[in-house]
Structures are given as C-alpha cells and as structure tokens.
Amino acid sequence: MPQASLDITTREQLDIYMNPQRQRLLHEMQVMARPATCKQLADAMGISASSVTHHMKKLEKLGLVELDHTELIRGITAKYWRFIPTSVNVRAGARDDLQEEKAFLVDYLHQRTYDALRSYIASSEIDREEELGLAHGDLRDGFVYLTEEEAHELQRRIAAFLEAHESPREGAVPWEFSLMFFPHRQPEE
C-alpha cells in the first residue's frame, strides 16, 4: 500500500502540525505501534483525555490519524485511533510567508530526535546492546560524493527502505531517526 503524503502549504496545516502536544501525540502513537484510545494516550503522555481528543480531531483533519475501530467496554463505546504512516513535506525551502515557522518546526523535530538519542546513550542501553551484539543507535555525519544520478538513487533507496518498514510487525521494535542530506553547491556568480 503506498504511503500517504501530506504537503504543508497553508498556515492552518502548519499550525495544526507544528503544535508540540500534537507532535508528542504522533510520537507516542508511533512508539505504541497499535491502535489506542484517547484515554490510553492521555495516560501515557500525562495529559487529559479531553486534550488528546481535541488534538486527535485536528490531526484527523490533516489525515495523520484515523478511527481504527470501536469497542464496547463496560457500557461505554471506546474509540481506538491509529496513526497513518505519512510522508510529511513541510517544504522548508519554499520561499513563502511560513519560512520562519517551518524553520522552527524543522529545528524542533531534529532536536527532539537528538535529545532522545542523548538519553538513550546516557542510559547505558547502548553498552548492553553492544555486548549482546545487537544493532544499536548512533549518529554519523560527514560527506559522501555523489553524482546527480547517485543522489537521486540514494533518495529513492532511503524512501523505499523507510516505506517498507513503516508498519509494526513481529519481532520489530521502533527505531527513531532524523535524516538530513543536501548538496554543497558553489553559489552561482
């Protein structure tokens, strides 16, 4: 099934998407990797269920979550929501009146992932995983030298790999990531 796609082009979309509570909610849903009620999400996040319900309606408007199913629990209909794997393009490079907010959102998303990596490393979990010979988190930066064709191939391969692994499955755990890559081109004179 092709991954959903969302291009953020309006202030309303950006305001909905960049809300920190909604970002936390999307993050929690991806970590849970299963449909959840607003109450379950509220308990996991330490906020009220009514707040989660409010944010879910906004996220549903963007197509990032949907009602998965309902269950009758002690006479109450519980709604189970699921995250919809979505390629979100904030169009950070677009020259529009949303540039400052988009830059803030990009900074926030990368910083959140970096903070989680720092916490993971500080937890000594990485040492245990290395001892067991397991894959472990890391940060790598540097340069690769690519032709235009190779750069397109890199983008296609990464996108295909991520899309093929975006859904929970037996034996798989969520890996958090943040990718940045761009060409170092000489400015035109």
Side-chain angles (χ1 to χ4, degrees):
M1 180 161 114
Q3 183 180 47
S5 179
L6 170 64
D7 287 336
I8 305 259
T9 58
T10 68
R11 180 162 304 281
E12 179 186 20
Q13 290 173 315
L14 185 61
D15 288 346
I16 290 170
Y17 188 69
M18 74 183 290
N19 178 284
Q21 284 290 63
R22 292 184 198 119
Q23 285 299 315
R24 283 185 62 218
L25 184 57
L26 290 169
H27 184 265
E28 188 63 35
M29 292 181 80
Q30 291 174 83
V31 169
M32 280 184 160
R34 62 175 168 72
T37 66
C38 290
K39 173 77 168 98
Q40 291 169 331
L41 291 162
D43 289 348
M45 295 174 59
I47 62 176
S48 72
S50 63
S51 179
V52 172
T53 300
H54 165 76
H55 292 304
M56 290 301 249
K57 289 178 184 175
K58 297 282 188 178
L59 292 170
E60 183 181 32
K61 187 174 184 178
L62 289 183
L64 297 174
V65 300
E66 69 182 2
L67 185 62
D68 185 75
H69 68 281
T70 60
E71 288 181 20
L72 195 57
I73 301 174
R74 292 185 289 271
I76 298 173
T77 302
K79 294 180 179 179
Y80 285 80
W81 294 88
R82 78 173 193 91
F83 170 76
I84 301 171
T86 305
S87 174
V88 178
N89 186 349
V90 296
R91 303 219 178 267
R95 306 283 184 235
D96 58 24
D97 65 337
L98 304 174
Q99 272 186 298
E100 191 173 321
E101 291 93 336
K102 288 176 180 181
F104 176 79
L105 175 61
V106 169
D107 287 346
Y108 170 80
L109 295 173
H110 283 293
Q111 188 64 48
R112 182 192 68 204
T113 304
Y114 175 68
D115 290 346
L117 174 64
R118 286 184 57 185
S119 176
Y120 163 78
I121 290 168
S123 75
S124 75
E125 201 55 28
I126 195 169
D127 296 332
R128 186 185 74 76
E129 291 169 351
E130 282 181 334
E131 286 173 13
L132 295 171
L134 301 173
H136 54 82
D138 202 356
L139 176 105
R140 182 173 181 171
D141 76 330
F143 288 86
V144 293
Y145 293 85
L146 305 172
T147 64
E148 281 299 311
E149 184 179 308
E150 292 166 333
H152 283 290
E153 179 64 17
L154 174 64
Q155 290 173 331
R156 282 191 298 270
R157 284 182 181 212
I158 289 172
F161 184 86
L162 295 175
E163 287 175 21
H165 296 87
E166 67 189 3
S167 298
R169 65 188 190 289
E170 182 79 27
V173 297
W175 280 66
E176 194 162 346
F177 68 91
S178 179
L179 296 172
M180 284 190 264
F181 47 89
F182 56 95
H184 258 276
R185 301 191 198 277
Q186 295 297 326
E188 293 181 19
E189 297 185 30

